[in-house]
Amino acid sequence: MSFRNSVYAATAMSLVTAGGAFAEIITIATVNNGDMIRMQGLTDDFTAKTGHEVEWVTLEENVLRQRVTTDISTKGGAFDIMTIGMYETPIWGANGWLVPLDDLSAEYDVDDLLPAMRSGLSHEGTLYAAPFYGESSMIMYRTDLMEKAGLEMPKAPTWQFIREAAAAMTDRDNDINGICLRGKAGWGEGGAFITVTGNSFGARWFDEDWNAQFDQPEWAEALNFYVDMMNESGPAGFATNGFNENLSLFQQGKCGMWIDATVAASFVTDPEDSTVADKVGFALAPNSEGVEKRANWLWAWALAIPAGTQKEDAAMQFIEWATSKDYIELVAEKEGWANVPPGARSSLYENPEYQKVPFAQMTLDSIKAADPQNPTVEPVPYVGIQFVAIPEFAGIATEVSQEFSAAYAGQQTVEEALAKAQALTNDAMEAAGYR
């Protein structure tokens, strides 16, 4: 054999995985939160098992949404796996933009996925993305500050109690804000939070004829309540705070309460990152007095394969690895049960070791409290809790959230923000043919 041929043969052999297929380098777009960053740190396990290597593109949430949406809608081909959620998955699956996940192995046990997560990531019964973790929203609060204020957190509090507690826990001299909440523009950032808040005051995005409802009293009550409470007890500059900013404030001991994704519980109770790790309690997301709907959302950050990738087999192997029972066991071994990705598999909540985690049951209760088929008090023509499951929603809600954030920042009144939201939403829906 010539030297050239021998080099070629050696190179070819190095590219063959244990299963006999050629090794690939796959590119994954993901969000810059703690669970995804932890997964990146464990990727060597995947490479050792499959031979495939991974290149990561890690982006802030709003930027991720924009990048992956542009790439998949233009067939850009930049990514072999995309981190997307319950909003995009059914719409993109219906468009033929995603590879169906109907060839997952028997060992993967797709029936173990929580029904709410499996349903939200499917279109017409076909799974198009696998949940890395699932979440709802809940209250995380400082037990020591609540006790100091002479109050006791109910398991299912009202917004009125939350506002009272926030005021009592605020200590400006010691840089403690009674409550930290999202105000950052973006349909999945502050837009998601104010939508579920609106739901819990009896508001809705649209009536049954797709007319915008921002001119109704329920929205005025919800938005004024939020702004007043945050001005009283929230951090300065809350209009630009999203998930990561509030997580950092809470971990630093600067928040009495934080209402956000259930997945945050592991980060606020981790003594390596949180200065208040041993002083955190949990409760259901609030409702307004007399309103049955709570400020729960339902979401999964999930992994999907864009149609047209040249590395579908390797991408499918990665998804099986990252969303499997074995991955949960790997994280538990390396980081402890409190840090495993939550909310995706029924078996996790049946595991006696995980049942010892202080926030496990509240996370499951919160997920079960979320009903995307009936998200509001009054009937609506859409599915979705913190989003409306139509293609036009992302663009509309991003603009609406920008108007709301401007009101939070004092650049316009709540009334002006709602009037602009009403007009731009109706104009967009009319242009799209809904009205």
Side-chain angles (χ1 to χ4, degrees), residues 201-347:
F201 277 81
R204 53 184 175 166
W205 265 78
F206 299 102
D207 68 13
E208 292 180 281
D209 296 316
W210 293 106
N211 297 301
Q213 297 294 288
F214 294 108
D215 59 352
Q216 297 301 302
E218 293 84 1
W219 265 114
E221 183 183 5
L223 207 58
N224 276 301
F225 181 94
Y226 172 79
V227 170
D228 290 345
M229 179 175 64
M230 293 302 288
N231 284 336
E232 292 166 1
S233 306
F238 72 89
T240 59
N241 287 351
F243 175 87
N244 285 328
E245 291 81 7
N246 286 322
L247 170 60
S248 178
L249 286 170
F250 196 97
Q251 288 175 323
Q252 294 171 45
K254 296 182 179 182
C255 302
M257 291 178 288
W258 180 30
I259 304 170
D260 212 296
T262 53
V263 73
S266 66
F267 301 113
V268 299
T269 57
D270 185 344
E272 291 189 10
D273 297 317
S274 176
T275 62
V276 296
D278 60 343
K279 303 179 180 70
V280 185
F282 306 94
L284 286 172
N287 65 326
S288 185
E289 290 179 0
V291 177
E292 64 182 62
K293 296 294 180 182
R294 295 192 166 272
N296 288 103
W297 64 60
L298 188 68
W299 186 253
W301 276 120
L303 302 178
I305 303 171
T309 176
Q310 302 302 303
K311 302 173 183 178
E312 183 178 322
D313 288 346
M316 193 73 74
Q317 288 180 55
F318 184 87
I319 286 179
E320 284 220 20
W321 173 80
T323 65
S324 66
K325 296 177 187 179
D326 286 345
Y327 179 82
I328 290 174
E329 294 279 354
L330 176 65
V331 177
E333 177 188 341
K334 300 283 188 182
E335 307 281 349
W337 280 104
N339 293 311
V340 304
R345 288 186 170 270
S346 297
S347 57

Side-chain angles (χ1 to χ4, degrees), residues 88-113:
E88 300 94 344
T89 301
I91 296 171
W92 293 2
N95 287 346
W97 292 354
L98 301 175
V99 174
L101 302 185
D102 46 16
D103 288 325
L104 294 166
S105 68
E107 293 78 14
Y108 181 79
D109 192 6
V110 71
D111 291 333
D112 184 48
L113 299 178

Side-chain angles (χ1 to χ4, degrees), residues 22-367:
F22 282 103
E24 305 270 18
I25 300 175
I26 55 174
T27 302
I28 304 177
T30 196
V31 65
N32 65 337
N33 66 30
D35 282 286
M36 297 302 185
I37 291 169
R38 181 179 291 124
M39 176 171 57
Q40 293 174 38
L42 297 172
T43 307
D44 285 349
D45 181 79
F46 168 73
T47 299
K49 289 176 177 175
T50 67
H52 303 306
E53 296 186 4
V54 179
E55 290 185 352
W56 293 93
V57 179
T58 307
L59 303 166
E60 185 270 331
E61 182 172 325
N62 287 338
V63 178
L64 172 74
R65 295 185 196 282
Q66 184 179 38
R67 284 278 299 276
V68 299
T69 300
T70 299
D71 189 73
I72 202 162
S73 61
T74 61
K75 297 182 172 61
F79 309 113
D80 303 300
I81 294 175
M82 295 176 167
T83 305
I84 59 176
M86 287 185 169
Y87 168 66
E88 300 94 344
T89 301
I91 296 171
W92 293 2
N95 287 346
W97 292 354
L98 301 175
V99 174
L101 302 185
D102 46 16
D103 288 325
L104 294 166
S105 68
E107 293 78 14
Y108 181 79
D109 192 6
V110 71
D111 291 333
D112 184 48
L113 299 178
L114 283 171
M117 301 303 157
R118 187 173 175 181
S119 174
L121 297 169
S122 298
H123 173 67
E124 295 184 347
T126 297
L127 188 70
Y128 281 96
F132 181 68
Y133 67 75
E135 66 180 42
S136 184
S137 45
M138 68 180 178
I139 303 167
M140 293 158 278
Y141 66 95
R142 289 272 300 277
T143 55
D144 57 331
L145 296 182
M146 188 69 71
E147 183 178 354
K148 182 179 178 182
L151 297 170
E152 184 175 344
M153 176 70 79
K155 180 182 178 182
T158 64
W159 276 114
Q160 289 70 25
F161 174 84
I162 293 300
R163 184 172 179 178
E164 174 192 352
M169 296 164 80
T170 298
D171 182 353
R172 299 298 188 195
D173 291 338
N174 291 300
D175 198 19
I176 296 174
N177 308 286
I179 192 161
C180 297
L181 299 173
R182 299 187 192 188
K184 188 176 186 176
W187 73 263
E189 272 279 10
F193 183 82
I194 200 61
T195 293
V196 296
T197 300
N199 294 344
S200 67
F201 277 81
R204 53 184 175 166
W205 265 78
F206 299 102
D207 68 13
E208 292 180 281
D209 296 316
W210 293 106
N211 297 301
Q213 297 294 288
F214 294 108
D215 59 352
Q216 297 301 302
E218 293 84 1
W219 265 114
E221 183 183 5
L223 207 58
N224 276 301
F225 181 94
Y226 172 79
V227 170
D228 290 345
M229 179 175 64
M230 293 302 288
N231 284 336
E232 292 166 1
S233 306
F238 72 89
T240 59
N241 287 351
F243 175 87
N244 285 328
E245 291 81 7
N246 286 322
L247 170 60
S248 178
L249 286 170
F250 196 97
Q251 288 175 323
Q252 294 171 45
K254 296 182 179 182
C255 302
M257 291 178 288
W258 180 30
I259 304 170
D260 212 296
T262 53
V263 73
S266 66
F267 301 113
V268 299
T269 57
D270 185 344
E272 291 189 10
D273 297 317
S274 176
T275 62
V276 296
D278 60 343
K279 303 179 180 70
V280 185
F282 306 94
L284 286 172
N287 65 326
S288 185
E289 290 179 0
V291 177
E292 64 182 62
K293 296 294 180 182
R294 295 192 166 272
N296 288 103
W297 64 60
L298 188 68
W299 186 253
W301 276 120
L303 302 178
I305 303 171
T309 176
Q310 302 302 303
K311 302 173 183 178
E312 183 178 322
D313 288 346
M316 193 73 74
Q317 288 180 55
F318 184 87
I319 286 179
E320 284 220 20
W321 173 80
T323 65
S324 66
K325 296 177 187 179
D326 286 345
Y327 179 82
I328 290 174
E329 294 279 354
L330 176 65
V331 177
E333 177 188 341
K334 300 283 188 182
E335 307 281 349
W337 280 104
N339 293 311
V340 304
R345 288 186 170 270
S346 297
S347 57
L348 178 62
Y349 293 91
E350 297 163 359
N351 187 314
E353 292 301 315
Y354 193 66
Q355 289 172 358
K356 298 174 185 176
V357 173
F359 50 81
Q361 189 60 48
M362 185 57 70
T363 294
L364 186 60
D365 290 346
S366 298
I367 289 171

